């Protein structure tokens, strides 16, 4: 049995809302191409996925919503379709979206199944569509593939950690498992005070038997590598030791990068990569997905670095001249961090420290921070 599997999603090219939409499926194909050029990915690593069944998706989303997506995908009229999240410019309905969405879910399900079968790490870069809700599309996401992957993993594992390092709060996964004590959802993201989806605050800690199994590290605008890593270290290792996950679903959104046009974070490629490396070092099985990332030069480099780290091979330095984006970037690592005025950096530190302290306070009845450390 291989230790590493890269799941190819044949239908990802069809997941395109419009020619001008910021979510561009070539993010995935370019990342895969760069990883192959650098010797990170090999043909023997790659398996082809098949689309998920509608019945499986309807175990996480409402059956009515699945039917609405299919109807809109076929161009059929749906009364009050806007109530299902398809009225905004974020999620305009398009022909073929049903098939494309099932393909993305199928690739994450294949990654989950590979891990259940004994693979240490399985990756679906086309996935990570974490904003889709029970009965609503949101934030470029139609079906919530990480949530479906978790649903599948629950057949084998009792303690599942969903760790989301996207710059946006992993709200869809959180709300779908907000009352499920088997799943710890942990998201580090730019605060909802400043950024879509407006949630992910420290007081969101789960409900009922699952109270204490939702955690949100909400950082401030202009957060750089140092602030971000400090916040990660203050919370994630402690919760890990407390929860003792048997498997991790890692959502690897690349939009915390300082060049991303849809957020206000200031991370470098190498600063972000530390979180991926930390998860690998814990030694538990990993189902990894892609996520956000709207700067092609950033996301292709970050996902290539993540693939190398997840596979356990050296991270290459130079980008080959024949790579289509070589004129814009020549190395996987950023040569230098962005220059930030001291006042912005101080404000990011202050906001993030207060957020972390608030989270620790809300979780104090459930997590003994002194013992966890």
């Amino acid at each position: 049995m291989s230790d590493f599997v890269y799941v190819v999603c044949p239908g990802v090219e069809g997941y395109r809302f419009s020619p001008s939409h910021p979510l561009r499926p070539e993010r995935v194909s370019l990342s895969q191409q760069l990883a192959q050029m650098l010797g990170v990915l090999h043909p023997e690593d790659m398996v082809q996925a098949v689309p998920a069944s509608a019945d499986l998706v309807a175990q996480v989303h409402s059956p009515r919503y699945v039917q609405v997506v299919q109807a809109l995908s076929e161009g059929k009229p749906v009364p009050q379709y806007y109530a299902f999240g398809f009225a905004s410019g974020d999620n305009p309905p398009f022909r073929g979206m049903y098939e494309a969405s099932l393909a993305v879910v199928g690739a994450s399900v294949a990654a989950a199944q590979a891990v259940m079968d004994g693979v240490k790490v399985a990756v679906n870069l086309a996935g990570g569509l974490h904003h889709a809700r029970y009965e609503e599309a949101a934030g470029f996401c139609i079906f919530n593939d990480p949530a479906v992957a978790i649903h599948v993993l629950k057949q084998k594992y009792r303690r599942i950690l969903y760790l989301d390092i996207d710059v946006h709060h992993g709200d869809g996964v959180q709300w779908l498992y907000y009352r499920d004590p088997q799943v710890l959802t942990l998201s580090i993201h730019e605060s909802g005070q400043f950024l879509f989806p407006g949630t992910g605050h420290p007081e969101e800690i789960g409900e009922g038997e699952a109270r204490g199994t939702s955690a949100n590290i909400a950082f401030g605008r202009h957060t750089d590598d140092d602030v971000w890593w400090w916040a990660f270290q203050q919370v994630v290792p402690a919760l890990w030791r407390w929860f003792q996950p048997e498997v991790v679903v890692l959502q690897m959104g690349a939009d915390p990068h300082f060049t991303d046009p849809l957020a206000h974070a200031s991370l470098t490629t190498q600063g972000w990569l530390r979180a991926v490396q930390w998860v690998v070092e814990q030694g538990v099985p990993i189902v990894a997905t892609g996520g956000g990332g709207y700067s092609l030069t950033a996301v292709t480099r970050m996902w290539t670095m993540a693939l190398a780290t997840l596979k356990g091979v050296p991270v290459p330095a130079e980008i080959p001249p024949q790579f289509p984006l070589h004129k814009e970037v020549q190395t996987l690592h950023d040569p230098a961090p962005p220059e930030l005025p001291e006042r912005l950096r101080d404000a990011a530190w202050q906001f993030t420290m207060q957020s972390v302290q608030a989270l620790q306070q809300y979780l104090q009845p459930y997590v003994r921070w002194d013992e966890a450390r």
Side-chain angles (χ1 to χ4, degrees):
M1 179 66 69
S2 171
D3 286 341
F4 175 88
V5 165
Y6 178 86
V7 182
V8 178
C9 178
V12 69
E13 296 84 2
Y15 198 98
R16 187 187 296 273
F17 288 95
S18 72
S20 60
H21 196 280
L23 185 68
R24 301 167 63 183
E26 53 264 41
R27 305 173 317 142
V28 177
S29 56
L30 282 170
S31 299
Q32 181 178 315
Q33 180 183 354
L34 180 57
Q36 290 174 301
M37 284 181 172
L38 291 171
V40 173
L41 278 184
H42 301 282
E44 59 266 27
D45 299 323
M46 304 166 81
V47 299
Q48 296 279 328
V50 297
S53 70
D55 288 343
L56 176 59
V57 175
Q59 294 175 36
V60 173
H61 294 282
S62 79
R64 178 175 71 158
Y65 176 66
V66 175
Q67 293 170 1
V68 165
V69 173
Q70 182 176 14
L72 290 173
S73 178
E74 296 171 356
K76 296 178 180 177
V78 175
Q80 297 184 316
Y81 74 94
Y82 50 84
F84 297 94
F86 291 104
S88 74
D90 281 0
N91 317 296
F94 61 94
R95 288 294 185 111
M97 68 179 184
Y98 179 69
E99 291 78 11
S101 299
L102 289 178
V104 172
V105 175
S108 287
V109 169
Q113 189 61 57
V115 164
M116 292 171 68
D117 291 341
V119 172
K120 290 184 178 178
V121 177
V123 185
N124 170 29
L125 287 185
L129 303 179
H130 59 169
H131 293 307
R133 300 161 191 163
Y134 179 66
E135 203 169 62
E136 184 181 0
F140 316 158
C141 307
I142 298 171
F143 293 149
N144 196 314
D145 64 282
V148 179
I150 292 169
H151 178 74
V152 171
L153 290 168
K154 287 182 67 179
Q155 298 172 23
K156 180 175 181 178
Y157 301 103
R158 293 171 301 159
R159 296 186 305 279
I160 301 167
L161 170 62
Y162 173 72
L163 177 58
D164 191 317
I165 60 174
D166 194 288
V167 80
H168 300 90
H169 176 222
D171 61 326
V173 182
Q174 173 180 292
W175 300 129
L176 285 165
Y177 290 100
Y178 207 56
R179 299 181 64 87
D180 189 335
Q182 281 185 256
V183 182
L184 170 61
T185 60
L186 175 49
S187 177
I188 177 168
H189 52 266
E190 184 177 338
S191 172
Q193 292 185 31
F194 315 121
L195 193 67
F196 177 90
T199 54
H201 303 298
E203 62 268 24
E204 297 166 20
I205 61 170
E207 291 179 349
E209 293 182 2
R211 194 156 176 83
T213 60
S214 178
N216 291 288
I217 309 168
F219 57 78
R221 288 176 292 187
H222 311 294
T223 287
D224 63 9
D225 289 351
D226 290 340
V227 178
W228 190 81
W229 186 239
W230 174 86
F232 186 99
Q233 288 288 81
Q234 290 296 305
V235 175
V236 180
L239 287 179
W240 183 288
R241 288 189 287 269
W242 167 72
F243 189 70
Q244 293 291 303
E246 298 170 318
V247 65
V248 178
V249 176
L250 176 63
Q251 199 270 17
M252 306 187 299
D255 39 11
H257 194 263
F258 67 88
T259 62
D260 195 273
L262 299 188
H264 318 99
S266 297
L267 271 65
T268 63
T269 60
Q270 57 268 31
W272 173 90
L273 188 67
R274 284 190 287 189
V276 180
Q277 181 63 53
W278 186 91
V279 174
V280 169
E281 291 169 355
Q282 307 316 302
V284 305
I286 301 169
V287 176
T289 71
Y294 309 98
S295 163
L296 280 181
T297 56
V299 70
T300 52
R301 292 184 296 144
M302 292 162 78
W303 283 353
T304 298
M305 295 167 75
L307 288 173
T309 301
L310 290 165
K311 191 178 179 184
V313 299
V315 178
E318 305 294 326
I319 293 175
Q322 62 269 34
F323 184 62
L325 303 178
H326 182 265
K327 289 184 178 179
E328 299 173 62
V329 285
Q330 290 76 49
T331 60
L332 293 184
H333 287 72
D334 287 310
E339 293 186 9
L340 288 173
E342 198 66 27
R343 61 179 180 82
L344 295 183
R345 192 170 185 275
D346 288 347
W349 266 113
Q350 188 66 28
F351 184 96
T352 306
M353 284 191 288
Q354 291 175 354
S355 178
V356 166
Q357 290 167 1
L359 170 62
Q360 292 174 334
Q361 190 65 34
Y362 279 109
L363 289 178
Q364 186 66 43
Y366 313 97
V367 182
R368 292 292 302 272
W369 294 99
D370 52 346
E371 292 180 4
R373 291 196 183 107

